[in-house]
Amino acid sequence: MKWSVGFVTLVMAAMLLSIALPGTEVPAQSQQRVRVGMPIPLTGFVAESAQEMVEGFKLYLEQSGQRLGGMAVDLRIEDTEAQPQMALTKMRKLVEQDKVDLVVGYYLAFEGYAVRDYVHKNKVPLFLPVVAADDLTQRKRSPYIVRMIWTSSQPNHPFGDYAYKKLGYRRMVTVGADYAFGWENVGGFQRTFELAGGKIVQKIWAPVGTNDYGPYIAQIRRDADAVYVLLVGSDIPRFFKQYQEFGLKGKIPLIGGNAVTDEDVLRAMGTETEGVLTSHTYAATFSRPENQRFVNAFRTRYKKDPNYPAEAMYTAALWLDRALKIAGSPKDPLRLVGAVKRVDLRDAPRGPLKLDAYNNPIETVLIRKVVKGSKGMQNEVIDTIPNVSQFWTFDPVTYLKGPAYTRTFPPCQYCEK
């Protein structure tokens, strides 16, 4: 049989088309890899807490078969050494040398601020499960940045109101870490405490890494109703122990912002923390079934209770997993961010999560009390405040026209000499 050129062409075309017939192709997502950059301060004053960020993310990957969105994960972890310049250096390495598709990580407020302009200019999708620096989703927001946890002031807005109306405090002293995270926590608390009718009569700032808190505790006014404290890392146990040694425990109640009674802090502490109240969005003891499944898995894997960075990174992995399934590919930054906004996260361990118009979560704030448990000190949830946004009850547009919380704002209008 003699075939014409036209007939042969038709046969070859049919053979080529058959390669793409349904049922013969491998799903596109299973062939793709997603390169994930993870900069974390694995050395420095928050190293112990930060290590659990890695553990939480890896736990989710183990459960998902080392895949996100059906794609195999190529994870690149870098140590920022808790230094802002190193945070930027490692971001550049991950993007320019390692060619990652997205970055998820960082711990400290100044790390987030250090990389903000680079991320925005280079259109890097950056997901922040722990960094709480207010302005990253406010005055300095970028369409390429999504925060996956509260801003520094977010859990403090309801707590200031709570301290006045439910705890009955009228005159308070604040002790804060002297950098952005401390300023924003104290600022949020002071603003709503004073709007409710209370007075901050003294504000004390301590440098990060203070070895001796004696000179600061000696300054605390003894006629205050209570002291609000916000410190970080290894500074926290030093402050609590010296507060007790000064004989103030039991005389002037201590309350605090989020991280001061985190689970990794309580492991090494005793009764000096008993009775301290804090506002947060996470507690390992929180009875929500989704949380208890996560806690049990974390205990089985790492032989300890998770801290909030561990839960935050586990939830970030869950969030990205679902977003990548929607996006279908990690290669388009804004498409990926758009998919993150569409994810249904009512089943996150710490509670339902949804993003506001500024790429920041609205979530439930827990009021926690440190109690003595069977294995040591632990946070007990004594109250919940649902649907708390970064703007609390303020109008967002009006709020953003005002100044950011700093070392001098709000001013200490009731401070007494």
Side-chain angles (χ1 to χ4, degrees):
M1 182 173 62
K2 189 174 180 180
W3 293 354
S4 69
V5 174
F7 180 73
V8 171
T9 302
L10 285 172
V11 171
M12 291 183 67
M15 291 175 65
L16 289 171
L17 286 172
S18 72
I19 295 173
L21 287 175
T24 62
E25 64 181 352
V26 177
Q29 284 173 308
S30 68
Q31 294 178 314
Q32 289 192 64
R33 298 182 70 84
V34 55
R35 291 186 176 181
V36 177
M38 185 180 292
I40 304 282
L42 294 172
T43 54
F45 65 100
V46 293
E48 184 176 352
S49 298
Q51 175 59 39
E52 295 195 29
M53 293 177 68
V54 179
E55 294 170 348
F57 199 87
K58 285 188 171 180
L59 176 62
Y60 186 87
L61 290 182
E62 289 173 7
Q63 293 175 344
S64 68
Q66 305 297 326
R67 289 179 175 273
L68 293 177
M71 304 171 214
V73 174
D74 181 357
L75 182 61
R76 310 291 178 93
I77 300 174
E78 294 287 343
D79 181 9
T80 67
E81 303 176 16
Q83 299 293 330
Q85 184 56 46
M86 189 57 72
L88 179 57
T89 298
K90 293 304 175 70
M91 171 63 82
R92 285 176 170 150
K93 175 185 180 295
L94 288 167
V95 172
E96 297 169 19
Q97 180 178 322
D98 297 341
K99 309 293 184 186
V100 299
D101 297 305
L102 63 94
V103 176
V104 56
Y106 294 117
Y107 185 102
L108 296 157
F110 55 64
E111 292 180 319
Y113 283 132
V115 302
R116 186 269 171 202
D117 289 349
Y118 178 90
V119 164
H120 183 72
K121 180 180 178 182
N122 292 281
K123 301 179 180 180
V124 181
L126 172 62
F127 302 95
L128 300 173
V130 176
V131 171
D134 279 16
D135 261 358
L136 290 175
T137 52
Q138 294 180 12
R139 299 165 192 82
K140 297 180 180 179
R141 63 185 180 276
S142 163
Y144 302 98
I145 297 176
V146 176
R147 195 198 312 277
M148 294 176 156
I149 202 168
W150 34 266
T151 64
S152 305
S153 57
Q154 189 168 340
N156 286 286
H157 284 146
F159 200 34
D161 192 70
Y162 191 92
Y164 182 87
K165 295 177 179 175
K166 293 205 173 183
L167 301 179
Y169 300 145
R170 297 294 181 264
R171 291 163 48 82
M172 291 190 64
V173 172
T174 65
V175 179
D178 197 1
Y179 80 111
F181 185 60
W183 304 336
E184 293 169 355
N185 272 268
V186 171
F189 179 86
Q190 180 185 351
R191 183 173 189 171
T192 54
F193 181 67
E194 293 188 338
L195 280 174
K199 296 180 179 179
I200 299 298
V201 297
Q202 186 180 29
K203 295 173 75 171
I204 298 172
W205 300 110
V208 172
T210 296
N211 288 319
D212 181 7
Y213 275 93
Y216 300 94
I217 294 172
Q219 298 176 45
I220 292 174
R221 293 183 62 95
R222 272 38 177 183
D223 59 351
D225 294 334
V227 173
Y228 169 96
V229 61
L230 187 285
L231 300 171
V232 294
S234 53
D235 287 20
I236 300 170
R238 286 196 285 267
F239 176 85
F240 277 123
K241 287 176 182 176
Q242 289 190 271
Y243 195 83
Q244 185 176 46
E245 289 167 3
F246 268 74
L248 297 183
K249 178 175 168 54
K251 292 182 178 178
I252 307 177
L254 264 179
I255 66 173
N258 45 72
V260 295
T261 63
D262 199 16
E263 276 70 10
D264 66 285
V265 174
L266 294 180
R267 279 180 215 132
M269 302 194 70
T271 56
E272 64 269 31
T273 58
E274 190 171 11
V276 174
L277 266 59
T278 54
S279 61
H280 207 296
T281 60
Y282 186 70
T285 59
F286 195 27
S287 59
R288 182 176 164 79
E290 293 90 342
N291 182 50
Q292 289 311 302
R293 284 196 290 273
F294 162 66
V295 170
N296 289 335
F298 195 89
R299 283 175 180 159
T300 300
R301 179 66 178 81
Y302 299 111
K303 314 303 179 190
K304 60 186 176 184
D305 282 351
N307 62 5
Y308 88 89
E311 188 279 336
M313 289 295 280
Y314 181 89
T315 294
L318 167 66
W319 206 332
L320 290 169
D321 187 15
R322 293 178 181 177
L324 285 163
K325 286 175 183 169
I326 294 172
S329 167
K331 301 301 182 183
D332 183 334
L334 290 183
R335 183 175 179 179
L336 177 57
V337 170
V340 166
K341 292 178 179 178
R342 292 169 55 194
V343 169
D344 184 342
L345 264 183
R346 284 175 289 187
D347 57 345
R350 67 179 182 271
L353 297 170
K354 60 180 178 181
L355 291 179
D356 65 14
Y358 303 81
N359 289 358
N360 190 79
I362 298 170
E363 52 186 314
T364 299
V365 168
L366 313 178
I367 305 300
R368 315 177 307 178
K369 181 179 183 180
V370 178
V371 298
K372 190 182 300 182
S374 59
K375 298 180 181 178
M377 311 310 293
Q378 63 184 35
N379 288 301
E380 178 183 53
V381 178
I382 62 171
D383 215 339
T384 60
I385 305 170
N387 297 317
V388 176
S389 87
Q390 61 180 327
F391 302 111
W392 182 224
T393 59
F394 305 109
D395 171 65
V397 175
T398 305
Y399 184 97
L400 293 177
K401 288 179 180 176
Y405 296 127
T406 63
R407 198 176 195 275
T408 55
F409 183 83
C412 197
Q413 59 182 323
Y414 302 112
C415 278
E416 302 168 3
K417 302 294 182 181

